[in-house]
Amino acid sequence: MYRRMFLAATASFLLVTLNDAQAQSALDDIVTKKLVTIAIPTDFPPYGFVGTDLTPQGLDIDMANLFAARLGVKVELVPVTSANRIPYLQTKKADLVISTLGKNPEREKVIDFTAAYSPFFQAVFAAKGMAVKGAGDLAGKSVGVTRGAIEDMELSKIAPASADVKRFEDNNATVSAFVSGQVQAIATGASVAGNMMVRNPQLGAEFKFVLKDSPNFIGVAKGDDKLRSKVNEIIAAAKAAGELDKMAVKWLGRPAGELPN
């Protein structure tokens, strides 16, 4: 009995020691190599997209560059999609994920998150002349939304029964429906709406009300506390210096404001 207890305790100690060593080595490896690999989006403006010079740009790219600069290392930007960004982190193809990553319980089971670095929200948008201040005002109106997206789930909770919610298969189809007048309002992410309004100023579209506020966090490998702490330190300094607000204003047209730690 005592032997089994001793072996179990020894195994637990070795596992904890191994995990600690792995967690400590990630940041050390980055500093040693003088290179950090960061997963970023290239198809989701204004957070990440390919510019006319064919280089990635956007809020997430600015944040990746800021982190590398503060750490004094070079950065390798790795384009990812929503589907493969977490696997890239888990398989060590990236040291960090800075790709409009929202935090939820399911994701927290497989990766860790830093403090938030930028705002992201889903909302309802419509023409300036349309009197919509809340969900109740959608009664009798048609609203376009991307099927299965966060905004679809949130809108479904509060839309009045008489609202005509039309669901489309992707963001492009949803935006096209609004631009062509198939629907009177659109429920989507602020980034999608912002891009739409810039491209179609004739619509006179504007923000009406928030469906869900879900700020962006940086993804770190599970148990990598040393790297996560360093990222949090850099985020806190950037927040105090007003750099996060400047980035948000530059790309989103509004300051970052209060963000969760």
Side-chain angles (χ1 to χ4, degrees), residues 5 43 59 98:
M5 290 175 63
D43 60 352
L59 192 153
I98 305 181

Side-chain angles (χ1 to χ4, degrees), residues 202-254:
Q202 77 281 0
L203 297 175
E206 68 176 5
F207 163 85
K208 294 299 183 180
F209 66 92
V210 170
L211 290 169
K212 184 179 178 63
D213 193 5
S214 49
N216 296 317
F217 300 80
I218 296 176
V220 182
K222 195 71 178 174
D224 198 341
D225 294 334
K226 186 174 183 180
L227 180 56
R228 183 168 59 86
S229 295
K230 187 62 178 179
V231 177
N232 279 339
E233 178 186 313
I234 291 171
I235 290 174
K239 183 187 295 185
E243 290 174 294
L244 299 188
D245 281 333
K246 288 179 182 177
M247 274 194 282
V249 169
K250 174 183 175 182
W251 295 107
L252 304 175
R254 53 160 285 195

Side-chain angles (χ1 to χ4, degrees), residues 116-178:
Y117 67 94
S118 74
F120 189 94
F121 55 94
Q122 289 75 32
V124 170
F125 300 81
K128 293 177 181 178
M130 185 175 290
V132 174
K133 295 183 178 179
D137 296 325
L138 295 177
K141 296 180 176 65
S142 56
V143 188
V145 67
T146 300
R147 188 186 309 278
I150 293 175
E151 50 268 22
D152 183 13
M153 294 183 280
E154 295 302 318
L155 183 65
S156 298
K157 296 175 185 177
I158 61 174
S162 63
D164 182 13
V165 179
K166 296 183 182 296
R167 293 176 172 84
F168 301 90
E169 295 308 311
D170 56 43
N171 285 335
N172 288 334
T174 305
V175 169
S176 294
F178 180 71

